[in-house]
Amino acid sequence: VYHTPELVPSDAIPDCAIAIDVLRATSTMATALAEGAEAVQVFSDLSELLQVSEQWPAEQRIRAGERGGATVEGFDMGNSPLDCTAARVQGRRLFISTTNGTRCLQKVQKAKTVLAGALINRRAVANYLLAQQPKTVWIAGSGWEGSYSLEDTVCAGAIAHTVWTESGAKLDELAGNDEMVAAIALYTQWQDRLLELLHHASHGQRLLRLNCHEDLKYCATTDILDVLPIQREIGVLVSK
Ligand code: MLT
């Protein structure tokens, strides 16, 4: 099932939930773990992040804060995945708070398995689903302050399309799940022009105004990271 941000149910617990924030939180988390971060710890509240990370050895932490697309003053970095170089993150814990992505993860954190997905690690997420075959799967888009987003929807479609075609299931088995049918349709229409689609997205436009062209290019690339961020304890993701 694909849920747009305002419609993530609060009264059910799926076997597996995949939080998606292509631009850019889950792309950043996947990159940090791929570059050797020990873990990623997510916060919706900036001051709570500062408080908790204060108790962590300074040389073993990196603090990322983003609001409205921009870096929060006093933090080591904002939310650009391109800032997550090995030199910066290896062996460290990334403490991160972003406008929507970290909140989306918190909304689904009670699922039996919680994953962070993006276009860059779509294959790793799809392989997990194909191998484990969890019965109930939610893909939760982060959107922007509760609203729908093109980039998270196309990523949900990309994951689902891969799983459905490779498991031999028929797409008509999705009948009744309107959000997912639409997500797959969006993906099949745009799969060869994902960067162009991200340029049309409202948050893509916001990031372009902030000169984040390279971030869009990177986040629009599929399957470049073989990393699966998985929740080890509430709010803490590690590489599976
Ligand atoms: C978010 O959490 O809203 C995004 O990741 C924003 C961003 O692009 O930094």
Side-chain angles (χ1 to χ4, degrees), residues 21 23-26 66 69-70 79 98-102 142-144 203 207:
D21 188 5
L23 295 175
R24 296 165 289 175
T26 54
E66 168 274 336
N79 187 23
T98 72
T99 315
N100 305 284
T102 51
S142 298
W144 190 264
H203 186 48
L207 290 174

Side-chain angles (χ1 to χ4, degrees), residues 53-62 95:
S53 60
E54 211 41 58
Q55 287 148 37
W56 206 258
E59 66 287 357
Q60 287 170 31
R61 73 174 179 228
I62 181 137
F95 294 86

Side-chain angles (χ1 to χ4, degrees), residues 35-166:
E35 293 294 329
E38 167 261 329
V40 173
Q41 190 161 354
V42 301
F43 297 83
S44 51
D45 189 60
L46 290 165
S47 49
E48 193 194 342
L49 183 161
L50 290 174
Q51 230 174 37
V52 173
S53 60
E54 211 41 58
Q55 287 148 37
W56 206 258
E59 66 287 357
Q60 287 170 31
R61 73 174 179 228
I62 181 137
R63 302 195 273 210
E66 168 274 336
R67 287 295 178 267
T71 305
V72 180
E73 219 188 294
F75 279 67
D76 302 317
M77 58 177 270
N79 187 23
S80 172
L82 300 178
D83 283 344
C84 295
T85 56
R88 235 173 166 179
V89 302
Q90 197 160 38
R92 295 181 171 193
R93 177 167 294 205
L94 178 71
F95 294 86
I96 183 168
S97 178
T98 72
T99 315
N100 305 284
T102 51
R103 290 191 182 134
C104 175
L105 265 162
Q106 288 179 330
K107 275 194 202 160
V108 298
Q109 68 189 4
K110 294 209 176 105
K112 289 184 196 136
T113 302
V114 177
L115 307 174
L119 290 167
I120 53 176
N121 70 337
R122 179 267 307 258
R123 168 54 57 192
V125 173
N127 283 351
Y128 176 89
L129 296 175
L130 285 162
Q132 302 298 322
Q133 305 196 358
K135 275 207 173 61
T136 45
V137 180
W138 292 357
I139 303 185
S142 298
W144 190 264
E145 293 178 348
S147 61
Y148 174 96
S149 76
L150 278 176
E151 66 277 13
D152 296 338
T153 307
V154 83
C155 182
I159 293 168
H161 186 264
T162 308
V163 171
W164 260 279
T165 49
E166 294 184 17

Side-chain angles (χ1 to χ4, degrees), residues 171-191:
L171 283 175
D172 58 14
E173 286 171 23
L174 286 172
N177 183 352
D178 295 10
E179 288 90 342
M180 191 53 101
V181 173
I184 291 173
L186 186 71
Y187 173 68
T188 53
Q189 176 80 15
W190 287 89
Q191 57 185 318

